[in-house]
Amino acid sequence: MKIKARRKIHWQTVVLMVVMVVASLVAIAPFWFMLNMGTYKANELYTGIKLIPSNYLAQNFKSLMTINFSRYYVNSLLVSTLCAGLTVLVCSMCGYALSKYKFKGRKAMGNVVMLTMMVPTQLSLVGFVIEMNKIGWLNSLLPLIIPPAASAFGVFWIRQYTRDCIPDSVIESARLDGCGEFRIFVQIGLPFMGPACMTLALLSFLWSWNSFVTPMIVLTNEKLYTVPLGIRQLATQFRTDIGAQILGLSLATIPMLLLFALFSKNLISGLASAAVKE
C-alpha cells in the first residue's frame, strides 16, 4: 500500500510539473516573439512566425534613436515614479482616515469613492482638459503626476485593507501614550499598511507607464512625450517602421519586468492579504 501511495504521489508531481512547464512556456512565448520581431525588417514580419532573432537589430535601434527615445524613456520614468509615490501618500492617508476615524458623512464619502470607480475615465476627459487649461497645466507633465494621485481605487483599496489590518486597540494605546495623529499614522499605520502600499505603488507605476490617451491629449511639446507617444512617432503617413516600434515596446517592458521580479512577493502578499479580510 505504501509503494502504491508513493507511486501515486510521484505521478501527481510529474503531472503538476508538466502543467507548470507548459503554462510557463505559454506565458513566455509572447515576450519571446516580441523580442525576435524587434530584430527584423518591417517587410519581413509578414512572412511568418519568427522563432529566432535576425540581424537587423542595430538598424531598428538607430531608427528608434532618431525620435529621441532616450528622452521619452526618462520622461516616463520620472512621471511614473512620482505618480506612484504621490498615489501611495495621498491614498494611504485618505484610506486610513475613512477606515479608522469616525466622523459625520464617512459612509457617504466612502460611497462616493466607490461611485467614481464606476465612471469610465474617457467620460471625464473633456472636463479634465478644460480644468487643466484653466489652471495652466496643459502641455506639462503635471497633469500626468498630480491628478492620478487622487485614485479612487487606491483610496478604496487602502480603506478595505486598513479596516481589519490595524487593530483599534493599538491606535487607542498610542493616543493614551501621548502620540499625535500624524505620528500614529506614520509610525503605526504605515508599517501595518506596507504590503497594501507596495501593491498600490506597483499598480500605479504600471498604469502611469502604459498611459496613452491622457498624455496624447495634454501634451503637444515633443520634448515632454512619454514612451507610448514616442513610439507612435515611428508611424507616419507614408511609412510605418513596425520593427523599430516593436523594439521600442520590448525596451518599454524592461522596467515592469524588473519591478515584478524584485517585488513580486510583495505584490502577491498584498493582494492575498487584502482578499482574505473580513
Side-chain angles (χ1 to χ4, degrees), residues 16-147:
L16 180 60
M17 292 297 296
V18 171
V19 172
M20 293 178 62
V21 170
V22 173
S24 300
L25 292 176
V26 172
I28 295 174
F31 294 98
W32 177 252
F33 290 144
M34 180 176 64
L35 293 174
N36 285 335
M37 292 170 67
T39 64
Y40 282 82
K41 296 181 180 179
N43 58 346
E44 294 178 345
L45 294 176
Y46 299 98
T47 59
I49 299 177
K50 309 304 177 184
L51 298 177
I52 58 176
S54 182
N55 57 355
Y56 205 70
L57 175 62
Q59 294 297 326
N60 284 336
F61 188 78
K62 289 181 180 179
S63 300
L64 199 60
M65 290 299 105
T66 58
I67 61 170
N68 204 3
F69 184 76
S70 58
R71 186 183 185 93
Y72 305 149
Y73 215 90
V74 172
N75 290 340
S76 287
L77 286 174
L78 176 65
V79 170
S80 300
T81 302
L82 292 178
C83 183
L86 284 176
T87 300
V88 170
L89 177 63
V90 173
C91 294
S92 61
M93 291 191 294
C94 293
Y96 176 83
L98 288 175
S99 174
K100 293 303 175 182
Y101 291 161
K102 296 180 180 180
F103 55 90
K104 188 176 181 179
R106 181 181 70 167
K107 185 176 180 180
M109 293 179 63
N111 293 333
V112 169
V113 171
M114 293 184 64
L115 287 174
T116 56
M117 294 172 58
M118 304 177 187
V119 180
T121 306
Q122 292 78 6
L123 294 181
S124 60
L125 276 178
V126 175
F128 176 77
V129 172
I130 294 175
E131 182 181 3
M132 295 299 103
N133 185 38
K134 290 292 185 180
I135 62 179
W137 282 5
L138 279 184
N139 201 26
S140 70
L141 297 178
L142 293 177
L144 308 180
I145 300 174
I146 297 180

Side-chain angles (χ1 to χ4, degrees), residues 211-229:
S211 179
F212 176 77
V213 176
T214 302
M216 181 179 62
I217 294 176
V218 301
L219 297 179
T220 57
N221 186 357
E222 293 185 0
K223 294 182 179 180
L224 300 177
Y225 279 4
T226 56
V227 169
L229 294 182

